[in-house]
Amino acid sequence: MKGASMDTAIDVGGLTKYYGKTRGIEDLTFSVAAGQAFGFLGPNGAGKTTTIRCLLGMLKPTAGAASLLGQTVTLDGARLRRRIGYVPGEVRLYENETGRWLLDYVSGLRGSAPSSQTELLEQLEFDPTKRVKHLSKGNKQKLALVIALMHDPELLILDEPTSGLDPLNQQTVFEILGRRRAAGATVFFSSHILPEVEKVCDRVGIVREGRLVAEEDITSLLHKRIRRLEVTFAEPVDAGFLEGLPGLSDIEAFSTHTLRAVVKGEEMDGVLRRVCERRVRDIEIMHADLEEVFLEYYRGTAPEGGEAR
Amino acid sequence: MSWTLLRGTLHQRRWGLFWYCVGLATYGGYMAYFYPSIAKVDLDQFLKAIPSELYRFMAGSSVSFNTFGGFLATEYTGFMWVLIAGAAIIAYAARTFGGEVEAGTMELLLSMPVSRVSLAFTRIVGLVVVDAAVVASSFVPIWLVARDQRVEFTPAHLWVLGGVGFLLMLLLGAFALAVSSVTRGSGVSAGVTGGVVAAMWLMHFLRDVADWADVFEPVNIFKYWDPARLVEKGTAAPETWWVLAVSSVVLMAVSVVAFSRRDVT
């Protein structure tokens, strides 16, 4: 790894982009520390890709500014892009060329040795001899990943990088990203799939309708997680036994001995104390994934109307 | 300029360009090969049957179908060559910016450490190379076959016809490039350029039959394309050279500036 020495890898201030009168993103402000993995979460059309294109200098912001690795982003920031690896949300490459040709072409454009190319090709089990038009969606995604990572960039900007990959290859990508992070790279991981962000990131920004509605450490976000509780008692119990406890909702009697409920936030301790007042035969606590936390956020922090791109 | 980008750009168009050039070489060689046979035929009766406006439209200033310049202009360089070669040049230029934005491949290029100005300039160099290949494959075979057939078509004739042809195509390409630099998709750029070229051609034709069409003549590039005169006299007016060249350079500069400032979505 070439070593990211800056304290802040990504610094975004008041970033706004309008397409004519249509809002793409509005007043986005956040920063990502060097070496951090930042999850950029939002549903399709929330403004994730617009943000990334502003960060890469493909779009000129209507207002605000961004800097990457200590350099202000401009439309013509060629030197800065040498230090960045980018996987687009929709991989589109030269269809009539082979993967090998593209890898050589990109290396030539970068003017730097593709030091990790062989390793990545092996890890992702990608055959570069086929023409792009003959590749499946998953294999095109693998090729885009190799192109983005093969020069060991300091900053990875990944727009839904596991799209089209099977679970095994997704796991391989997470492992590769983990190694890159360990080597000091910063990861900006855009996705609408929360469990994969949970695996990769340590900080999360949630964007909706072009605005950043939350920004938290992943651990803090996980503390707000929703857990499903199922307790089987040794004797018959009524649903009213658990009622009135803070953080507990959707209490139902699944059978005469079993109660089900949803526990939100930090209230598990009080719930367990109440449960332990009776003899317990079995207990199961299922952690809801970030998806539900995400939806919970949306319910609570919906920005005012306006069109999102 | 990026040599890697230039090589890549030409590599991606290599087969299309190759077969286009083969077609143009065959067409031009065929014309030169058959000229001696046709020149023996008295075509006066045929010429008299054609309205003078139509004849001027096809052959420019030439008044004789039996001269090599007149024959070539009527049968090939006056209209068909502009159509065929122009299509190749416009197709290249239209794809250069807007076409790649639409195809999504511009996103890959703009994530590379190549500046937009360098990218645009490299693509312009690519246009010059494609133009040179198209023009050379069009006229060099004519010169070679004409020499073999003992038709008077000297290297000086070749230079003038090829030079003005090159600049005419460069101007068409530069216009398409300028449109492509601000639009999304090859079709828009090719359509706009094709429409403007067709309108100019039509106005150039109508100037002989309608006075109002003269209004457009000062900005009509086809008044500089008189292949019959170029071949028969072996010279071109000085303004032909500089107007076509300067207009091309201005449009190319416009396309570089426009592309370096545009959004790529």
Side-chain angles (χ1 to χ4, degrees):
Chain A
M1 196 60 52
K2 287 155 191 164
S5 58
M6 260 73 63
D7 292 329
T8 305
I10 302 175
D11 194 13
V12 175
L15 198 66
T16 301
K17 178 64 186 177
Y18 274 82
Y19 301 93
K21 289 182 178 177
T22 306
R23 186 177 62 197
I25 53 174
E26 183 149 357
D27 198 25
L28 283 189
T29 300
F30 63 90
S31 61
V32 180
Q36 195 175 56
F38 186 83
F40 198 54
L41 292 165
N44 293 327
K48 302 189 298 292
T49 300
T50 297
T51 306
I52 286 174
R53 285 177 172 163
C54 285
L55 291 179
L56 288 165
M58 292 176 194
L59 298 177
K60 189 177 180 182
T62 310
S67 69
L68 302 181
L69 302 169
Q71 292 181 43
T72 303
V73 175
T74 64
L75 290 182
D76 224 2
R79 275 191 297 179
L80 176 59
R81 292 198 290 265
R82 196 182 299 279
R83 302 161 68 192
I84 296 171
Y86 169 55
V87 175
E90 192 179 345
V91 175
R92 293 200 284 177
L93 304 164
Y94 295 105
E95 293 285 313
N96 290 322
E97 307 301 341
T98 63
R100 170 57 59 201
W101 184 88
L102 262 167
L103 293 172
D104 292 344
Y105 183 50
V106 166
S107 295
L109 289 173
R110 285 196 179 118
S112 60
S115 44
S116 301
Q117 190 189 106
T118 309
E119 182 190 344
L120 286 165
L121 290 174
E122 285 172 5
Q123 286 169 342
L124 291 167
E125 297 177 336
F126 177 72
D127 174 11
T129 59
K130 290 181 181 171
R131 289 188 190 279
V132 172
K133 65 183 173 188
H134 295 139
L135 296 177
S136 65
K137 186 179 188 303
N139 276 323
K140 284 181 185 174
Q141 195 72 23
K142 288 180 185 178
L143 180 55
L145 281 159
V146 177
I147 287 171
L149 299 173
M150 67 182 180
H151 61 303
D152 293 339
E154 294 165 56
L155 173 60
L156 298 171
I157 296 181
L158 313 172
D159 194 356
E160 316 226 352
T162 58
S163 172
L165 295 180
D166 60 48
L168 279 176
N169 281 307
Q170 285 183 9
Q171 191 54 42
T172 304
V173 171
F174 298 145
E175 287 166 10
I176 291 169
L177 294 178
R179 281 194 287 273
R180 292 302 170 102
R181 281 203 61 205
T186 307
V187 179
F188 185 84
F189 193 104
S190 168
S191 178
H192 66 278
I193 302 166
L194 296 167
E196 67 176 25
V197 172
E198 191 180 17
K199 288 175 185 164
V200 174
C201 302
D202 41 25
R203 192 164 176 76
V204 174
I206 298 173
V207 63
R208 189 196 180 208
E209 292 184 8
R211 293 178 182 178
L212 198 66
V213 296
E215 189 187 354
E216 298 209 45
D217 286 338
I218 197 97
T219 47
S220 169
L221 198 62
L222 291 174
H223 282 146
K224 293 176 179 172
R225 64 171 42 165
I226 300 159
R227 282 153 288 191
R228 299 190 184 286
L229 179 71
E230 184 175 303
V231 188
T232 302
F233 295 93
E235 56 206 54
V237 66
D238 185 75
F241 173 62
L242 293 178
E243 275 178 7
L245 288 171
L248 207 63
S249 63
D250 301 332
I251 304 163
E252 61 169 324
F254 183 65
S255 68
T256 53
H257 290 65
T258 303
L259 294 183
R260 283 178 172 175
V262 172
V263 186
K264 289 179 185 170
E266 303 291 329
E267 308 297 339
M268 186 59 86
D269 183 57
V271 174
L272 290 179
R273 284 179 194 282
R274 172 69 63 85
V275 166
C276 288
E277 290 174 6
R278 303 277 178 94
R279 273 202 318 133
V280 177
R281 186 180 292 163
D282 194 12
I283 185 164
E284 191 173 5
I285 302 170
M286 290 160 285
H287 289 235
D289 61 22
L290 278 170
E291 189 98 28
E292 287 173 73
V293 180
F294 182 60
L295 291 172
E296 190 71 13
Y297 257 86
Y298 271 5
R299 272 199 290 272
T301 53
E304 289 174 12
E307 287 186 28
R309 188 175 167 79
Chain B
M1 195 186 83
S2 166
W3 288 104
T4 304
L5 185 62
L6 180 63
R7 281 199 300 273
T9 303
L10 295 174
H11 176 89
Q12 287 156 33
R13 290 160 170 81
R14 65 195 184 284
W15 288 116
L17 183 63
F18 172 76
W19 288 114
Y20 224 92
C21 289
V22 167
L24 283 165
T26 307
Y27 199 151
Y30 176 86
M31 286 293 144
Y33 182 77
F34 282 100
Y35 168 69
S37 307
I38 291 169
K40 292 173 188 168
V41 180
D42 184 0
L43 293 165
D44 281 350
Q45 293 300 316
F46 173 68
L47 285 176
K48 284 174 186 171
I50 300 174
S52 61
E53 293 82 5
L54 181 61
Y55 184 73
R56 280 173 59 87
F57 172 66
M58 293 189 300
S61 61
S62 178
V63 292
S64 174
F65 191 75
N66 291 59
T67 64
F68 188 51
F71 166 74
L72 212 55
T74 311
E75 291 295 312
Y76 183 37
T77 54
F79 179 69
M80 284 306 293
W81 181 76
V82 175
L83 200 66
I84 298 169
I89 299 296
I90 290 169
Y92 168 87
R95 180 172 165 72
T96 295
F97 300 126
E100 287 223 36
V101 171
E102 185 182 44
T105 47
M106 188 58 79
E107 197 171 6
L108 172 72
L109 293 178
L110 290 184
S111 69
M112 295 292 128
V114 178
S115 74
R116 288 195 185 202
V117 171
S118 175
L119 194 156
F121 185 72
T122 304
R123 288 289 164 85
I124 286 171
V125 173
L127 173 66
V128 172
V129 172
V130 170
D131 187 11
V134 166
V135 170
S137 62
S138 299
F139 300 133
V140 170
I142 292 176
W143 170 64
L144 290 171
V145 175
R147 195 174 64 167
D148 184 60
Q149 297 289 311
R150 291 183 172 76
V151 173
E152 189 184 352
F153 188 73
T154 65
H157 290 111
L158 173 65
W159 169 250
V160 171
L161 182 66
V164 176
F166 173 83
L167 288 178
L168 178 75
M169 288 300 129
L170 194 63
L171 182 53
L172 297 187
F175 186 86
L177 213 58
V179 178
S180 178
S181 69
V182 294
T183 55
R184 194 175 193 277
S186 304
V188 179
S189 177
V192 169
T193 308
V196 169
V197 169
M200 281 191 176
W201 196 273
L202 189 63
M203 289 304 119
H204 191 58
F205 169 57
L206 290 175
R207 80 195 191 284
D208 287 329
V209 292
D211 290 341
W212 58 265
D214 288 341
V215 174
F216 302 99
E217 202 59 6
V219 292
N220 198 320
I221 61 169
F222 288 109
K223 70 181 176 186
Y224 302 109
W225 181 240
D226 190 349
R229 182 177 186 272
L230 296 174
V231 171
E232 286 175 4
K233 300 194 173 181
T235 58
E239 66 265 27
T240 297
W241 297 100
W242 71 259
V243 167
L244 293 176
V246 169
S247 304
S248 300
V249 170
V250 168
L251 285 169
M252 286 171 185
V254 166
S255 67
V256 172
V257 172
F259 177 71
S260 63
R261 293 180 177 184
R262 73 171 290 177
D263 281 346
V264 172
T265 56

